[in-house]
Amino acid sequence: MGKDWWKKAVVYQIYPRSFCDSNGDGIGDLNGITSKLGYLKELGVDVLWISPIYQSPMRDNGYDISDYRAINPEFGTMVDFDRLLKESHAIGIKIVMDLVVNHSSDKHPWFIESRSSRDNPKRDYYFWRDGKNGSSLGGPMSSPPNNWEAWFSGPAWTLDETTGQYYLNLFSPYQPDLNWENPALREEIYSMMRFWLDKGIDGFRMDVISCISKPLDFPDGTVRLCANGPRVHEFLQEMRNTVLSHYDIMSVGENACVTIDEAKRYANNEGTELDMVFHFEHMELDGDETSKWNDRKIDFIKLKTVLARWQNGLYGYAWNSLYWCNHDQPRIVSRLGDEGVYREKSAKMLAACIHFMQGTPYVYQGEELGMTNAPFTALEDYRDLESINAYNKYVLEEKLYSKEDMLKFLQLKSRDNARTPMHWNDGPFAGFSDKASWIMVNPNHREINAAEQVRRGDSVFAYYQTLIRLRKEMDIITKGNFELLLPDDPDLFVYTRQHGQESLLVICNFSRCEKTFSPPESFNGAKLLLSNEEVPETINGITSMGPFATAAYYKK
Ligand code: NOJ
């Protein structure tokens, strides 16, 4: 593989708490991951992105780190980690770690020191400000420095009694924001990154990295004002020069609120910042400006427009990530496909739709089985901080939604939908653990599970294997240009790719109805590459596509 090996790679995301429990405590762990390397090799993925496994109070399941250089005992030990790294490398699988440096945990020693007094040397590692009416020490109660609401509800500023000042927390009070303006803090972060890279890891997925540079006047508005802030590119270039460029690794930014123009800078082909970005535009099409909590569906025409715009906008300039699922999103089969008779068929169609695009595809654990949303009916079923806080805010405090409506919204949108344990088999606890897990197992593991799918030639798993293999074999998938056809069709997502003399036509029916489609004449005679139902081997004139059908045709 060359220096930009990640352009041909497929990444598999592991959410360690829910992947595989090797020691019977109901929580997934590192040895569990190691025990499944054979499965991952069989699937054909090249890289594992492992969500945080560091020491953490687990308020946000590890996205609140209290020691960046230690393994959380619930996941195992550093020896377990080293073994996972060694064994995955031995079979040609790379490991990418989560880098959560927009904020730390409030239990991190830096923060404990920082909050202890105004003149502590670590004070400036975080953002401390007086309230609107000055400090509240001994004086009248002040209000927060601005009106921002945290991503997980509540104010984005928390008053600390010890010094009478507020600290900034874009997510929750357990996750104080780190002050990247401070060069000593940046050097600590770079040194920690080298610690992991020197162990031999293959890169970082950078949590909300687009938010590390804040507008220092902290104007009223929303926390989104921190995205793509004044010094973010400067900080990432510094990180590239001082750390990343010294290793043969990949870096992917979780770039909340990124635009195409910004992405062209973050993930530019010259490689001065990151290798690729995650954008969220296609995932936010069922929310509104202030909140995602509703029962709105993704607008299909907008979905096509957004994905096409990113394909064309970055082409030749920067590199994209392709994904439907991760640990923050509901399951895509439930969101855009079908949980019933067309579950497998729609899972395959959705996979084909993005795997034939340009970028690096990410498969989230269980997506390759067509796993569905959790059937949770009560608030007590949920574990996620964001979901529980939203319920408290909208139902109990503001009384904006009824309990029933909010539970319905959680069923559709909660992050816990993606966090139920992986289905390894149809046995008790889905083969994830031998006892009840930290979050309920979805009872549909009796039908949807890896053991069954690995055995069956026409499974969703087998379909993902083929898509992953095709990406390696066919340059057009990584290199071809992109054109969206039928932008206004309410059901069909159709696009072409072109690379030299080669062309590829991808047809996806997102509806439950039979649809017909007339391919462009230039595709007459194109050969079938892959489909999820019986379609003609050669395309010639009008073709018919059943519910959730997909077909890809290739011509040279
Ligand atoms: C994005 C992560 O993906 C999410 O899980 C986390 O809660 C927030 N960043 C805060 O770290």
Side-chain angles (χ1 to χ4, degrees), residues 60 63 103 152 171 175 205 207 254 327-328 415 419:
D60 188 19
Y63 285 93
H103 46 270
F152 300 153
F171 289 90
Q175 296 160 297
R205 173 269 185 189
D207 193 67
E254 189 207 25
H327 63 293
D328 295 331
R415 307 195 296 178
R419 300 177 180 185

Side-chain angles (χ1 to χ4, degrees), residues 14 51 79 107 184 218 303 333 369 389 403 427 465 491 498:
I14 291 185
S51 280
V79 173
K107 298 288 180 285
F218 295 105
L303 177 75
V333 167
L369 308 175
N389 286 358
K403 176 179 168 196
Q465 280 180 314
D491 303 313
Q498 193 85 37

Side-chain angles (χ1 to χ4, degrees), residues 211-228:
C211 295
I212 55 175
S213 163
K214 326 287 183 204
L216 296 175
D217 53 344
F218 295 105
D220 275 352
T222 73
V223 286
R224 287 178 176 252
L225 287 170
C226 294
N228 314 311

Side-chain angles (χ1 to χ4, degrees), residues 13 15 49 51-52 60-64 98 100 102-103 151-152 171 175 205 207-208 254 280 326-328 384-386 415 419:
Q13 185 194 348
Y15 196 66
W49 150 28
S51 280
D60 188 19
N61 286 353
Y63 285 93
D64 50 322
D98 225 301
V100 189
N102 172 70
H103 46 270
W151 237 290
F152 300 153
F171 289 90
Q175 296 160 297
R205 173 269 185 189
D207 193 67
V208 283
E254 189 207 25
F280 290 90
N326 62 37
H327 63 293
D328 295 331
D384 171 32
L385 171 83
E386 181 195 43
R415 307 195 296 178
R419 300 177 180 185

